[in-house]
Amino acid sequence: MPTALITGATAGIGAAFARRLAADGFSLVLVARDEARLREVAGQLKLRYGVNVEPLPADLATDDGLARVEARLRDGVDLLVNNAGFGHPGNFLEVSVEDETRMLKLHCEAVLRLTLAVLPGMRERDRGAVINVASVAAFFTRGTYSASKAWVVNFSEATASEVAGPRIKVMALCPGFVRTEFHERASMDTSQIPGFLWLKAENVVNAAMRDLALGKWVSIPDVRYKTIVAVGRLIPRRLIGNRGAKIGR
């Protein structure tokens, strides 16, 4: 039975990955900060799908939390989903440097260290996959969040070019607006976001698993966001930055 480790697994896209992979017969290792909620979700998945579910409480914005998950990855897993992340409600100059560096720790350093922890075992066994959850924001200019997700995309593509093959795959997943707790937790006002731009977490995960099977290095779920990214690449970066700031507010 294959094993998948998912970070940020108690809600949103991470929880949707957990449900999909459990339904596919994966044993699960679920990582999140909230131990009580983590164990509750683990119990529900085990009861519903009859698979082994291992809760692993860890704060990936800390060295201790990262070390704990790195050690588990070195024991061997078949699929790593780097999903943990968060957003800021304010503009760049309105956010404390502590919060900005914590974001970089979680979005960049954690992705780097966990990917490096899992890949040697995958290469030795000649099988495995890594999905790094980025964002459509990676293709636009919008503060540290956008910059950190751009790093995730670049890192994933670079890693895929070095280690990917028919049996080892690395992919960046770049969803747009998804109906999750993400924006509420960040105290973001989403009232001005058009309804047609919202995606369901389950659909995002299904698209990701399809694109992973196809060997894609970057997955942009849904034709709406594929179009937005394609058009965005034709617009000068300065104009995108101005527009992105307005959307962000």
Side-chain angles (χ1 to χ4, degrees):
M1 181 179 292
T3 300
L5 186 147
I6 307 165
T7 70
T10 55
I13 294 174
F17 264 112
R19 292 190 295 270
R20 165 63 192 266
L21 294 171
D24 288 347
F26 278 75
S27 292
L28 301 178
V29 182
L30 306 182
V31 179
R33 289 185 302 163
D34 187 335
E35 183 171 357
R37 188 178 187 186
L38 182 62
R39 294 190 181 282
E40 179 183 0
V41 170
Q44 292 171 348
L45 290 167
K46 186 174 183 178
L47 181 64
R48 179 175 179 180
Y49 297 101
V51 298
N52 184 58
V53 185
E54 175 187 342
L56 179 55
D59 183 351
L60 297 179
T62 67
D63 286 329
D64 287 345
L66 279 171
R68 193 175 305 124
V69 180
E70 284 174 312
R72 179 60 184 85
L73 288 169
R74 293 188 185 106
D75 286 340
V77 303
D78 301 282
L79 172 62
L80 166 63
V81 181
N82 278 313
N83 167 73
F86 66 96
H88 294 316
N91 293 319
F92 175 61
L93 295 179
E94 299 171 353
V95 180
S96 71
V97 68
E98 291 80 11
D99 284 343
E100 293 283 47
T101 54
R102 183 171 178 269
M103 175 175 283
L104 291 175
K105 180 91 171 178
L106 183 58
H107 291 184
C108 300
E109 183 180 340
V111 170
L112 170 70
R113 288 176 57 173
L114 299 188
T115 300
L116 287 176
V118 79
L119 279 177
M122 290 181 175
R123 297 187 75 178
E124 184 178 336
R125 297 187 302 275
D126 191 30
R127 70 176 188 275
V130 178
I131 298 175
N132 294 322
V133 179
S135 169
V136 163
F139 305 102
F140 301 91
T141 51
R142 173 58 184 162
T144 302
Y145 181 84
S146 174
S148 68
K149 293 304 186 179
W151 183 90
V152 172
V153 173
N154 193 308
F155 169 75
S156 300
E157 290 184 293
T159 306
S161 71
E162 291 190 31
V163 305
R167 293 174 61 82
I168 300 177
K169 299 173 181 179
V170 179
M171 184 184 78
L173 171 61
C174 301
F177 294 113
V178 184
R179 295 287 186 190
T180 68
E181 298 176 3
F182 178 88
H183 300 91
E184 181 180 351
R185 286 184 173 184
S187 301
M188 294 179 180
D189 179 11
T190 61
S191 61
Q192 301 303 311
I193 299 173
F196 71 88
L197 286 179
W198 289 100
L199 305 176
K200 293 182 178 179
E202 288 76 14
N203 293 343
V204 169
V205 170
N206 290 337
M209 296 303 294
R210 181 187 65 240
D211 287 345
L212 184 70
L214 292 172
K216 293 186 178 182
W217 291 1
V218 178
S219 171
I220 303 174
D222 197 272
V223 67
R224 290 166 286 186
Y225 284 102
K226 287 182 172 66
T227 302
I228 289 170
V229 170
V231 171
R233 285 172 171 160
L234 302 176
I235 301 173
R237 300 285 287 180
R238 187 168 182 176
L239 293 179
I240 292 176
N242 293 338
R243 184 57 180 166
K246 293 179 182 179
I247 293 174
R249 286 196 293 272

